Structure formats: structure tokens, C-alpha cells
Amino acid sequence: MLETLKSPSAMQQWSQKKHSEGKTIGFVPTMGALHRGHISLIEASKQENDLTVVSIFVNPAQFSAGEDFEKYPRDFDGDFKKLEQTDIDALFLPQASDMYGDGFATFIEVRGISGKLCGAYRAGHFTGVATVVAKLFNTIMPERAYFGLKDYQQCVVIRKMAADLNMPVSLRFCETVREQDGLAMSSRNAYLSADQRHDAPILYRALCEAGSLISGGQLLKFTDAATLIQQILKSSAHISEIQYGSVYDSETLDDISEQDAASYSGKTVTLAIAVKIGSTRLIDNLLVTVP
Ligand code: PAF
């Protein structure tokens, strides 16, 4: 039976005991509605650590007013069955009141990068993410923690937080897991109607076509790649809003579509997209090495 810990203090005691026995802990934070992307993170953790802990917590602090906190997919029974099959060592399952008690007043703000890309459309989102991830790290005290590259900006924010605050954890950023037609796995895919779902792989197609332009080595500037992304997204019958879609510096997340490709030769740039299909917000990205 999968060991489930509900309070932060019980979780901390569990981790302290395992560390005193000389065990290493790998940690996979999630908001539940588990899919193959999450399972791949769990598999990666199991390969590198003696023990693997998964958390399920739909973090209210990372949803702004009017977002989908209330309707975010929750499937605890399904998640529990999946976790039992993966043979992890512990599940951390706190309530919001355990994580944010009365008078909670401490937030972590990773300045600069948190306001770009998704941060420009989701006020306070990355402060909510950084705060809960710091709390989870302090509670589980893992040697290693695993995040999906699908949320590329989240990875950059967490990397910066961990470096700036000297957090004693190694971060592992793992490849995006995709459906057969290229759509990045996401719990929010469940919101799509059949027609919208049929159209959704257009994000990955735009990224791949623009990525090929860059890796082909013929571009003077990245402008053509950014324009191609926009053209492909605009051809969709179901995309109701393009929030961003361009070529970005992988560290600063600045839009570099006007920059000379030669200045990035040998480096990796990030193609990233955020759109709304109906009312569902989807993001995706592709890392491309410039020849
Ligand atoms: O990527 C997610 O599911 C969440 O942002 C995370 C890292 C679990 C923090 O709530």
C-alpha cells in the first residue's frame, strides 16, 4: 500500500528518517491529473534515487483571479492507482490549509524572468510556483527534483530560485512527452473538444517547422522563424488568441527574433508558444541548437 503523508511535519519526519538511514530521495512535484509526462518524471527519479516521493497539490497561489483553479482536473482515485503501479515510496498530499495557514505572509519572487512570456499573461503565477516549490523542497528535502521541459519558463524560474537561494537540490529537467500527433501532454488537454483536440498539434507543427528553418543554418536573423510560427498559428480555425509565439534567448527569455542568428551560433535558442484554443490556454516549446 502506497504510504500517503498529509501534513508537512509528517512528510518532513519521513524524509529525515530516510536520510538518517542513508537513503537518497528523488522528488516529483505535481498538481495531479497524472499523465505519461508525469510518469516519465517518476521513472527518471526511480533510476537515480533510492526512494521517490510524488506530491499532488493543486496550488491555489499559482492561479490568478479568473483562471481555472476551480475546474482544474482532479482525479485522485485515478492518480492513486497510477502511482501504485509506478511503485513509488511515498505520496505527499497536503490540503491548502496545511500549506498556507492563517496569516501566511512569505512569498518568493524571482524578478525579471517571472514577468516575461507566461508571466505577462498570468499575474503572480511564477511567484506562486516558486513559493510552493520552495515549501515542497523544505518539506521533502530531496537530493534531486524532476520537472518537465514542457513548462520551460517554470524550469528557468526554479533553476534561478534554487541557485540564488543556495538550495541543496539537483534539478533535472526532462524531455516533453507527446501524444502520437505531437501534442504535448498536459492535464489541460482534457478541456479540449474533439474538434479543438484535432487542431491542437498545430502548436508543435509550428515549432518544428520554425525549428527546421533555424537548424538549416540559412537564416541571417530569427525573424523568418518567428513569422513562420505566427503564420502557422493564424491558419488554425480554433486558435482564438495568440499570446506569444517567437524565438527567445534560453536564459533571459527575451525575444531575439530581430537578432543575428550568427550571434547565437553553437547555442540553444527556445521557440515558445502560448495560445488559447477556445478558453483553454495551451503552451509548448522547442529547444533548437543554432548551427
Ligand atoms: O508543473 C506543475 O505541475 C506545478 O507548477 C508544480 C511544479 C507542481 C508547482 O505547483
Side-chain angles (χ1 to χ4, degrees), residues 29-31 59 62 129 132-133 147 151 154:
T30 83
M31 298 206 300
N59 172 33
Q62 68 187 75
V129 170
V132 81
V133 170
F147 297 87
D151 297 306
Q154 171 168 281

